[in-house]
Amino acid sequence: MVDRLIMDGETARHLLWQMRRIRSFEAASAEQYSAGSIRGFLHLYSGEEAIAAGVMHGLQESDFVISTYREHGHALARSIAPSAIMAEMFGTVEGCSKGRGGSMHLFDVQRNFYGGNAIVASHLPLAVGMALAVRKRGEHHVVCCFFGDGAAAEGEFAESLNLAALWNVPVLFVCENNLYAMGTALKYSHAATDLVTKGTAQGVESMNVDGMDLLAVIDAMRHANAVVRTAGKPMLLVCNTYRFRAHSMFDAELYRTKEEVEQWRQRDPIEAFAAWAMNCGLLTESNIDEINARVDAEIDQAVAFAKGGHLESVTTLERYTYAEGHHE
Amino acid sequence: MVDRLIMDGETARHLLWQMRRIRSFEAASAEQYSAGSIRGFLHLYSGEEAIAAGVMHGLQESDFVISTYREHGHALARSIAPSAIMAEMFGTVEGCSKGRGGSMHLFDVQRNFYGGNAIVASHLPLAVGMALAVRKRGEHHVVCCFFGDGAAAEGEFAESLNLAALWNVPVLFVCENNLYAMGTALKYSHAATDLVTKGTAQGVESMNVDGMDLLAVIDAMRHANAVVRTAGKPMLLVCNTYRFRAHSMFDAELYRTKEEVEQWRQRDPIEAFAAWAMNCGLLTESNIDEINARVDAEIDQAVAFAKGGHLESVTTLERYTYAEGHHE
Amino acid sequence: MNDQALTISYRKALRQALRDVLHADERAFLMGEDVGRYGGAFAVSKGLLDEFGPERIMDTPLSESGFVGAGIGAAIAGMRPIVEIMTVNFSLLAMDQIVNNAATLRHMSGGQIGVPIVIRMGCGVGRQLAAQHSHSWEPLFAHIAGLTVLSVGTHEDARWVLPAAMQSEDPVVILEYTSLLNTEGTVENGVGGVDISTARIRRRGNDVSLITYGTGVMKCLAAADVLAHEGVEAEVLDLRVLRPLDQQSILSTVMHTHRAVVVEDAWRTLGVGAEVSARIMEHAFRDLAAPVVRLGGVEVPMPYPRHLEDAAVPQVDGIVDAVRRVLQ
Amino acid sequence: MNDQALTISYRKALRQALRDVLHADERAFLMGEDVGRYGGAFAVSKGLLDEFGPERIMDTPLSESGFVGAGIGAAIAGMRPIVEIMTVNFSLLAMDQIVNNAATLRHMSGGQIGVPIVIRMGCGVGRQLAAQHSHSWEPLFAHIAGLTVLSVGTHEDARWVLPAAMQSEDPVVILEYTSLLNTEGTVENGVGGVDISTARIRRRGNDVSLITYGTGVMKCLAAADVLAHEGVEAEVLDLRVLRPLDQQSILSTVMHTHRAVVVEDAWRTLGVGAEVSARIMEHAFRDLAAPVVRLGGVEVPMPYPRHLEDAAVPQVDGIVDAVRRVLQ
Ligand SMILES: Cc1ncc(C[n+]2csc(CCOP(=O)(O)OP(=O)(O)O)c2C)c(N)n1
Ligand SMILES: Cc1ncc(C[n+]2csc(CCOP(=O)(O)OP(=O)(O)O)c2C)c(N)n1
Ligand SMILES: [Mg+2]
Ligand SMILES: [Mg+2]
């Protein structure tokens, strides 16, 4: 638990703003999906905001981030403009991936954000390799890799943790355990549901974190920075959280009860943090109103920006298959 | 440690014979390889005999066995005739796989011996599926799966143990930890070298076994039978052993010292068991002479049989690609 | 529409086929990610968990190599598993199991082992799922000796190929097209049954042969309608079985029309069209009035935006134009 | 033999190439199973660990998906990894990484990320390694958009394609043939350098074109010698680059000789020969005096016995016979 003293009002407001804008951005995404402006698969992050906000708060600009198809929150917290993300989902050239990737493939190399990978667990080996490069160059960056509880059942999870520990490279594995892999509950994905032991069994220091409590995530990141950035070792954070919305837009949610969802909504990470901050006097009602207003304006502007975007000409269809000037 | 009382002389002589014939068979295999009668890859089992002998001693004929390319010892202990194995390595139709497989692909469905797989760890999922079939039919067979320490670094190892535990199926995973994966020492394959914890982390009961001590293996099998056959749960035995010879016939053994090999040879499982049995009066010098004579005769006969074998006609080259009578 | 025929969606046809085979053979069971509690990623298996229970409809963790391998093991041990890989895009994770085990075990065991497994996958382009989720890997599977590869381009096949595939003693890969799931079509009822060895002419014509499979069937039929207005009668051959190819049907239609256009979504280079063209070259060279034309996917990873996705694979207009060219 | 040329074994040529690129670029490093302490499974990298140390020559555990993915990650992060997959037979375990990440990241990031990785694999038939260890998967790799695929059929290429591949900003797959390792050949020294975009004529002739790659080059040259005694001058085209194919060179030789025989060890159906034949059909149909003939592997998993293995792939006699046929 973080001592209120070490968090100032500005930081508290910034963090609340961060979580709120992620929540609102996802609401807008769902709207635009229903409107038909966003197509393909769309996976919303609502409910898990404390993880993206807390982890990014503990990272530096020079660190690397790599994620899954459920990466809007990570991209926003990594300060990729909502307008660039929305534009990407509209498939326009103004998008952060030039419109080629869509919701599941957000990239922004300027911000060391390496996507947006839609093959579950296939980005874990990439993270290990990026950290290997960091170590070989004697740098002290953290490579932060987000993935889910379902991903931990893939062989790539075991292989990647072992390689990271064997090579002693600075990867921070952040498992967002939202208790479901699509419709498969944790206990049906894993015989041993304690994912921390799977990390330690591979020689990677691992710990559980309350992913619904922003302060707990921030606290865990302090330790993670000591292990990964300072000592240059890999670490696994299992952030226990919950997805408030369906897995994607093609999900009837037959596998969980409304009551279960309701119970978790009672633990809304945004409300919880706001309440704590107000208690500590780090936040006032008017601050919250300002934040909400700022967020609404930013998201409206993002949608407007996306609507004003442009589609790439089909004449350049084959671009980005090989480097420009490649023999083909 | 097994109480001498529970082992009679006949059993002791049988087990010694079993280990000796494996050792001699491998010596003969190496000879025939040098003579050019055996080609391709050849991986010898010398030094690890106590595992094959002890594990098979604890299995029943109705159980299933599946193994790797280093499977001569398992095949022999499973009572596949040495002549059929030698013939297979000579590539003749008299071989246990009709000559199609060679050293790495010994099969004998009559004896529920399912091979002989040369893709490291790719047979672990097969074992889980075979055990799933056993469970679905309500049978009480054990599916015994042999593999090495290197295989435990493959994602298939983690996936297979998790699936076996999740489905509660009777697989006995026998990891023959001979400390090397080709030239890669255990500590270079695994950041956490305790393979038992990797099993327990997946929810599979796991234990270390001294693979150089036949009695320890037999003892472990008692427990394994209780867990796997009786309770129908998966289990992992990590049998710690050593390969006395090179990985294959293309190995200069640059990665280990002669001294290290010598030290392990001091712990020869065959000598150790023979000494123990004589101590307990379960074995006499003359018994040993008889056993050696029997083994020599059997192996000579196997080589003679293989030399007298026949090559398949090239006209049937395409056989065994699809079931006979398949549309192609 | 006689009472023997009924109109049904492609999804319902697939589901009815699953119900049939699960009722017909107690050794049959369906396993895959989210086939049960979630109701199937694309609602194909919706309701089956309630109807058949968790032993027949098994949800698996995210472990493609593990559960496909387990399916192979279960098949070896006497079951009749139907393994669903949610979409073809994840099949590479199980490709070693499919190629080195399913397609190879019968051969390397000298015919002692058969692997009667059916592996179903959703696949295809057209839903704006971008580069990692829009693969057309029919050519990769069609290259593998030991496999039977089926491409389900019609409602009739959606309804009937599975029961036929379940009769095979060898591994069968069934490719189902998610873009067709909601489409309605007419299929013969009751009588039922199709073979899984021959191609089918879906429309007769004398002027040109449109040779295709999968979603190409509907596109070619649409193109044939357009051409009919120009007085051009195109014959449409649905390959259906991509391995082993029904060469006779390919040669018959070409010898009948003397002109051929091959249509597929897969990347053009090394596509199925290349094989079809090469076989026509070898066996019907002198019968050709014009060189065979191939229409395939543009060699670029699939872009997210609709207009670029459409431009990346053959469309009806392009097929019509190609026919006009070969007729000149 | 001028002083610019030297005779060298294929193995030494590969090793010299590795030494060159490791000296030339400090970002370059070699990683793979047993490349270091063991000296390389086929002794290609023997001595390099002593010369460059463990940071440049990294032994990896048995985790193909993990370390190939790590190589991709390192490439993304600015290194120039050379990843060795011991043999092509294990490459399917890393195929998802190669296809969905290495070949796809540039595109789905809208050109922001490049993956300059070189993936080398030993491959080929001819050593009696049986069904799981004798694969010829050139066609699988050659189908993948985003890859550059090189087949090393000569000593000159063994010596020079790697330095050229290291200049690529995109993933390059290099297929090396283990059956050629001990053969001696002559290569230009010092001057060095070859491109990785064009096919090469290895022998000039006017009567027929033998189009091939890999071990087919030596076989076709041998066949050309036999044919020369019959007064038939065969032109031998070594494709070298299997993707993107050098179509111009294929068409040039065919337009010059008007007859072509394509030779490869890979399974005939959907082999590279199919693509070559289809392109000739499309662009040189009217120039053909006879239909293109394809010689490829028989569609059966590779049998262990030498005589069956020889019968399963094209041999010199068969090539000579095929040429006689197309000349009739
Ligand atoms: C290798 C692979 N298999 C299956 C899928 C289909 N799929 C997409 S997301 C998902 C569930 C992943 O669950 P988890 O890792 O817990 O992440 P979450 O969606 O809960 O954030 C599945 C099965 C995929 N994309 N990749
Ligand atoms: C997937 C795969 N990768 C690499 C190889 C090459 N290879 C054959 S045996 C071996 C070492 C395996 O070591 P271990 O599992 O410890 O078994 P051991 O040989 O020591 O009995 C390797 C790397 C292979 N056959 N399969
Ligand atoms: Mg989850
Ligand atoms: Mg070992």
Side-chain angles (χ1 to χ4, degrees):
Chain A
M1 189 54 173
V2 182
D3 176 342
R4 53 166 288 193
L5 300 178
I6 59 89
M7 185 178 292
D8 57 39
E10 195 184 329
T11 307
R13 288 188 292 277
H14 170 77
L15 291 165
L16 180 64
W17 167 76
Q18 192 63 271
M19 294 195 288
R20 273 230 194 287
R21 64 200 282 265
I22 294 174
R23 183 72 56 89
S24 304
F25 183 90
E26 295 298 51
S29 301
E31 250 174 55
Q32 293 308 316
Y33 193 91
S34 315
S37 304
I38 298 176
R39 309 297 300 271
F41 285 152
L42 179 69
H43 308 84
L44 304 180
Y45 194 67
S46 315
E48 311 185 20
E49 296 88 351
I51 304 169
V55 169
M56 293 302 175
H57 183 70
L59 294 181
Q60 301 177 0
E61 283 192 1
S62 54
D63 293 335
F64 298 81
V65 178
I66 186 164
S67 184
T68 70
Y69 47 84
R70 194 182 301 285
E71 85 280 36
H72 302 172
H74 309 129
L76 288 164
R78 191 60 184 178
S79 70
I80 301 179
S83 53
I85 300 172
M86 192 60 75
E88 183 60 34
M89 299 197 287
F90 273 56
T92 65
V93 293
E94 291 81 4
C96 58
S97 301
K98 310 259 174 39
R100 292 278 179 148
S103 166
M104 302 197 291
H105 306 303
L106 305 177
F107 286 80
D108 186 342
V109 173
Q110 296 312 314
R111 294 174 177 76
N112 288 322
F113 192 83
Y114 286 83
N117 202 302
I119 303 298
V120 170
S122 82
H123 61 304
L124 274 68
L126 302 187
V128 174
M130 292 165 75
L132 180 63
V134 166
R135 199 210 63 191
K136 282 183 181 292
R137 282 193 297 258
E139 300 164 346
H140 290 283
H141 310 312
V142 170
V143 176
C144 180
C145 176
F146 293 95
F147 58 96
D149 47 292
E154 292 279 8
E156 280 67 19
F157 169 80
E159 292 186 4
S160 299
L161 268 69
N162 181 44
L163 290 175
L166 207 48
W167 295 339
N168 240 303
V169 295
V171 191
L172 176 61
F173 295 100
V174 180
C175 179
E176 299 181 312
N177 173 14
N178 59 14
L179 299 178
Y180 291 90
M182 280 184 72
T184 303
L186 183 68
K187 69 169 185 288
Y188 297 120
S189 282
H190 298 273
T193 54
D194 176 8
L195 302 180
V196 163
T197 60
K198 299 199 185 198
T200 49
Q202 296 295 349
V204 173
E205 181 175 342
S206 309
M207 68 185 273
N208 272 302
V209 180
D210 180 351
M212 304 306 270
D213 178 355
L214 176 61
L215 302 174
V217 176
I218 290 173
D219 208 30
M221 282 303 290
R222 288 227 195 83
H223 184 54
N225 268 301
V227 173
V228 184
R229 188 186 312 281
T230 311
K233 296 183 181 310
M235 184 170 182
L236 168 66
L237 296 183
V238 177
C239 299
N240 301 297
T241 182
Y242 198 78
R243 143 166 82 62
F244 286 177
R245 308 189 58 137
H247 166 73
S248 73
M249 307 314 269
F250 300 100
D251 176 5
E253 293 190 73
L254 305 171
Y255 50 84
R256 62 183 190 180
T257 64
K258 296 227 173 335
E259 294 63 38
E260 180 183 299
V261 179
E262 220 4 82
Q263 277 170 17
W264 278 92
R265 281 184 177 278
Q266 296 308 317
R267 300 195 45 211
D268 189 317
I270 303 180
E271 301 315 320
F273 178 70
W276 173 83
M278 287 184 78
N279 257 330
C280 308
L282 297 172
L283 200 68
T284 65
E285 277 297 348
S286 66
N287 290 144
I288 295 184
D289 298 341
E290 284 162 34
I291 289 172
N292 292 346
R294 238 179 91 207
V295 165
D296 295 346
E298 186 186 30
I299 303 303
D300 291 347
Q301 182 272 335
V303 173
F305 177 83
K307 287 183 173 161
H310 306 81
L311 294 180
E312 184 177 355
S313 155
V314 294
T315 60
T316 51
L317 172 62
E318 295 179 61
R319 276 184 78 178
Y320 310 130
T321 305
Y322 295 96
E324 306 279 310
H326 178 280
H327 35 75
E328 252 202 345
Chain B
M1 190 54 169
V2 182
D3 177 343
R4 52 167 289 189
L5 298 179
I6 58 90
M7 186 178 291
D8 57 40
E10 193 184 331
T11 306
R13 289 188 291 279
H14 171 77
L15 289 166
L16 180 65
W17 167 76
Q18 191 62 273
M19 293 196 288
R20 274 228 194 286
R21 64 200 281 266
I22 293 174
R23 182 72 56 90
S24 304
F25 184 90
E26 295 297 50
S29 301
E31 247 173 56
Q32 294 308 317
Y33 193 91
S34 315
S37 304
I38 298 177
R39 309 296 301 270
F41 285 152
L42 179 69
H43 308 85
L44 304 180
Y45 193 67
S46 314
E48 310 185 20
E49 296 88 351
I51 303 169
V55 169
M56 293 302 174
H57 183 70
L59 294 181
Q60 301 177 359
E61 283 193 0
S62 56
D63 293 333
F64 297 82
V65 178
I66 186 164
S67 183
T68 70
Y69 47 85
R70 194 181 301 286
E71 86 281 37
H72 303 173
H74 309 129
L76 287 165
R78 191 61 182 177
S79 71
I80 300 178
S83 54
I85 300 172
M86 191 60 75
E88 183 59 34
M89 298 198 287
F90 274 55
T92 65
V93 293
E94 291 82 3
C96 59
S97 301
K98 311 264 180 21
R100 291 278 179 148
S103 167
M104 302 197 290
H105 306 304
L106 304 177
F107 286 80
D108 186 342
V109 173
Q110 295 312 315
R111 293 173 179 76
N112 288 322
F113 192 83
Y114 285 83
N117 202 302
I119 304 297
V120 171
S122 82
H123 61 303
L124 274 68
L126 302 187
V128 174
M130 292 164 76
L132 180 64
V134 166
R135 199 210 66 192
K136 283 182 181 294
R137 283 193 296 258
E139 301 163 346
H140 290 283
H141 311 311
V142 170
V143 176
C144 179
C145 176
F146 293 94
F147 58 96
D149 48 292
E154 292 280 7
E156 280 65 20
F157 169 79
E159 292 186 5
S160 299
L161 268 69
N162 182 44
L163 290 175
L166 207 49
W167 294 339
N168 242 302
V169 296
V171 192
L172 175 61
F173 294 101
V174 179
C175 179
E176 300 181 312
N177 173 14
N178 58 15
L179 299 176
Y180 291 91
M182 279 185 72
T184 304
L186 183 68
K187 68 169 186 286
Y188 297 120
S189 282
H190 298 272
T193 54
D194 176 8
L195 302 180
V196 164
T197 59
K198 298 199 183 196
T200 49
Q202 296 295 348
V204 174
E205 180 175 342
S206 310
M207 67 184 273
N208 272 301
V209 181
D210 180 350
M212 304 306 270
D213 178 355
L214 176 61
L215 302 174
V217 177
I218 290 173
D219 208 29
M221 281 304 290
R222 287 226 195 85
H223 182 56
N225 269 302
V227 173
V228 183
R229 189 186 312 281
T230 312
K233 295 182 180 308
M235 185 171 180
L236 168 66
L237 297 184
V238 177
C239 299
N240 300 297
T241 181
Y242 198 77
R243 134 167 90 62
F244 286 176
R245 309 188 59 136
H247 165 74
S248 73
M249 308 312 269
F250 301 100
D251 176 4
E253 294 189 75
L254 306 171
Y255 51 85
R256 61 183 191 180
T257 64
K258 295 225 173 341
E259 295 63 38
E260 180 182 301
V261 179
E262 218 7 81
Q263 276 168 20
W264 278 93
R265 280 183 179 279
Q266 296 309 316
R267 300 195 45 210
D268 189 316
I270 302 180
E271 301 315 319
F273 177 71
W276 174 83
M278 286 184 78
N279 258 329
C280 308
L282 298 171
L283 200 70
T284 66
E285 277 296 350
S286 67
N287 290 144
I288 295 185
D289 297 341
E290 283 162 34
I291 288 172
N292 292 345
R294 235 179 94 207
V295 165
D296 295 347
E298 186 187 29
I299 302 302
D300 291 347
Q301 182 271 335
V303 173
F305 177 84
K307 286 183 172 160
H310 306 82
L311 295 180
E312 184 177 354
S313 155
V314 294
T315 60
T316 51
L317 172 62
E318 294 179 61
R319 275 185 78 176
Y320 310 131
T321 305
Y322 294 96
E324 306 282 311
H326 178 281
H327 34 77
E328 250 200 348
Chain C
M1 178 175 127
N2 62 53
D3 62 328
Q4 283 296 63
L6 87 166
T7 299
I8 186 173
S9 74
Y10 186 92
R11 175 184 286 107
K12 281 218 179 70
L14 291 173
R15 185 183 304 150
Q16 193 51 45
L18 281 166
R19 298 183 67 250
D20 276 7
V21 299
L22 287 166
H23 278 301
D25 188 343
E26 62 181 9
R27 299 169 306 169
F29 65 97
L30 172 68
M31 109 173 130
E33 292 159 11
D34 296 300
V35 296
R37 299 173 187 83
Y38 190 89
F42 305 104
V44 168
S45 53
K46 194 167 178 179
L48 299 188
L49 176 60
D50 294 340
E51 183 174 357
F52 296 95
E55 273 297 309
R56 308 290 305 282
I57 307 294
M58 295 177 64
D59 280 325
T60 66
L62 276 141
S63 304
E64 285 78 5
S65 186
F67 70 76
V68 170
I72 295 167
I76 289 171
M79 303 299 287
R80 282 284 194 266
I82 302 164
V83 178
E84 173 176 308
I85 296 179
M86 190 181 287
T87 77
V88 72
N89 308 290
F90 320 134
S91 64
L92 293 185
L93 290 164
M95 203 63 161
D96 172 67
Q97 288 295 335
I98 295 170
V99 177
N100 274 318
N101 285 332
T104 307
L105 279 163
R106 178 184 297 280
H107 182 270
M108 62 191 190
S109 66
Q112 292 178 83
I113 294 181
V115 185
I117 185 176
V118 170
I119 302 175
R120 301 170 44 238
M121 331 180 179
C123 66
V125 191
R127 298 173 56 236
Q128 286 190 252
L129 301 181
Q132 291 182 323
H133 274 56
S134 305
H135 291 294
S136 297
W137 287 332
E138 291 88 346
L140 302 187
F141 291 104
H143 180 66
I144 307 303
L147 296 182
T148 295
V149 181
L150 310 177
S151 174
V152 183
T154 65
H155 293 71
E156 179 186 61
D157 279 348
R159 178 66 182 84
W160 297 118
V161 294
L162 179 62
M166 295 297 284
Q167 301 309 310
S168 173
E169 292 299 321
D170 294 303
V172 179
V173 171
I174 301 181
L175 298 156
E176 304 165 353
Y177 298 83
T178 52
S179 63
L180 299 179
L181 287 168
N182 296 328
T183 64
E184 298 270 319
T186 304
V187 306
E188 292 300 308
N189 199 15
V191 277
V194 296
D195 66 62
I196 54 169
S197 54
T198 62
R200 284 277 186 96
I201 288 180
R202 300 297 182 188
R203 174 190 178 117
R204 300 214 162 271
N206 308 320
D207 304 328
V208 61
S209 298
L210 292 174
I211 303 175
T212 188
Y213 61 88
T215 51
V217 176
M218 300 297 172
K219 292 187 209 173
C220 287
L221 288 171
D225 287 340
V226 175
L227 290 162
H229 292 111
E230 303 175 7
V232 174
E233 288 307 326
E235 183 151 284
V236 176
L237 181 69
D238 174 5
L239 292 171
R240 300 180 64 245
V241 186
L242 303 184
R243 187 178 194 99
L245 273 176
D246 175 8
Q247 179 169 302
Q248 197 40 57
S249 294
I250 295 169
L251 299 181
S252 302
T253 184
V254 171
M255 291 184 179
H256 174 63
T257 66
H258 309 292
R259 291 178 163 81
V261 174
V262 194
V263 179
E264 69 190 317
D265 286 345
W267 287 315
R268 193 166 182 283
T269 296
L270 269 298
V272 173
E275 182 64 27
V276 170
S277 177
R279 294 204 186 187
I280 293 171
M281 162 85 81
E282 286 157 349
H283 305 282
F285 186 67
R286 313 276 172 209
D287 300 275
L288 287 174
V292 174
V293 169
R294 289 183 296 160
L295 296 181
V298 176
E299 322 240 350
V300 57
M302 194 58 63
Y304 163 68
R306 161 55 46 81
H307 68 295
L308 294 182
E309 184 178 43
D310 288 345
V313 294
Q315 302 296 341
V316 174
D317 300 355
I319 299 169
V320 170
D321 292 344
V323 169
R324 292 195 187 115
R325 267 181 281 123
V326 294
L327 285 170
Q328 268 157 26
Chain D
M1 179 176 126
N2 64 55
D3 61 331
Q4 283 297 64
L6 89 165
T7 300
I8 185 171
S9 73
Y10 186 93
R11 175 183 287 106
K12 280 219 180 71
L14 291 173
R15 185 183 304 149
Q16 193 50 45
L18 281 166
R19 298 185 66 248
D20 276 8
V21 299
L22 287 166
H23 278 302
D25 188 342
E26 61 181 12
R27 299 169 306 170
F29 65 97
L30 172 67
M31 99 172 136
E33 291 159 13
D34 296 300
V35 295
R37 299 173 187 84
Y38 190 90
F42 305 104
V44 168
S45 54
K46 194 167 179 181
L48 299 188
L49 176 60
D50 294 341
E51 184 174 358
F52 296 96
E55 271 297 309
R56 308 290 304 283
I57 307 294
M58 294 176 65
D59 280 324
T60 67
L62 277 141
S63 304
E64 285 78 6
S65 186
F67 69 76
V68 170
I72 295 167
I76 289 171
M79 302 301 287
R80 281 283 194 265
I82 302 163
V83 177
E84 173 175 308
I85 296 178
M86 190 181 287
T87 78
V88 72
N89 308 289
F90 319 134
S91 64
L92 292 185
L93 290 163
M95 203 63 162
D96 172 67
Q97 288 294 335
I98 296 170
V99 177
N100 274 319
N101 284 332
T104 307
L105 279 163
R106 179 184 296 281
H107 182 269
M108 62 192 192
S109 65
Q112 292 178 80
I113 294 180
V115 185
I117 185 176
V118 169
I119 302 174
R120 302 170 42 240
M121 335 181 177
C123 65
V125 191
R127 298 172 58 233
Q128 286 190 252
L129 300 181
Q132 291 183 324
H133 275 56
S134 306
H135 291 293
S136 297
W137 288 332
E138 292 88 346
L140 301 187
F141 291 103
H143 180 66
I144 308 303
L147 296 181
T148 295
V149 182
L150 309 178
S151 174
V152 182
T154 65
H155 293 70
E156 178 186 62
D157 278 348
R159 178 66 182 84
W160 296 117
V161 294
L162 180 62
M166 295 297 283
Q167 300 309 309
S168 173
E169 292 300 320
D170 294 303
V172 179
V173 172
I174 300 181
L175 298 156
E176 304 165 352
Y177 298 84
T178 53
S179 63
L180 299 179
L181 287 168
N182 297 328
T183 65
E184 298 270 320
T186 304
V187 306
E188 292 300 309
N189 197 15
V191 279
V194 295
D195 68 62
I196 54 169
S197 53
T198 62
R200 285 277 186 96
I201 289 181
R202 301 298 181 187
R203 174 191 179 116
R204 298 214 164 272
N206 307 320
D207 304 328
V208 60
S209 299
L210 292 174
I211 303 175
T212 187
Y213 61 87
T215 51
V217 177
M218 301 298 173
K219 292 187 210 173
C220 287
L221 288 172
D225 287 340
V226 175
L227 289 162
H229 293 110
E230 304 176 6
V232 174
E233 288 307 327
E235 182 151 286
V236 177
L237 181 69
D238 173 5
L239 292 171
R240 300 180 65 246
V241 186
L242 303 184
R243 188 180 192 95
L245 273 176
D246 175 8
Q247 179 170 301
Q248 197 41 57
S249 295
I250 295 169
L251 300 181
S252 302
T253 185
V254 172
M255 292 186 179
H256 174 61
T257 66
H258 309 292
R259 292 177 163 80
V261 174
V262 194
V263 180
E264 69 189 317
D265 286 344
W267 287 314
R268 192 166 184 284
T269 295
L270 268 299
V272 173
E275 183 63 28
V276 170
S277 177
R279 293 204 186 188
I280 293 172
M281 161 84 81
E282 286 157 350
H283 305 283
F285 185 66
R286 312 277 171 208
D287 299 275
L288 286 174
V292 173
V293 168
R294 289 183 296 159
L295 296 181
V298 176
E299 322 241 349
V300 57
M302 194 57 63
Y304 163 68
R306 162 54 47 80
H307 68 296
L308 294 181
E309 184 179 42
D310 288 345
V313 294
Q315 302 296 341
V316 175
D317 300 356
I319 299 169
V320 170
D321 291 344
V323 168
R324 292 195 187 113
R325 267 182 281 125
V326 293
L327 286 170
Q328 269 156 25

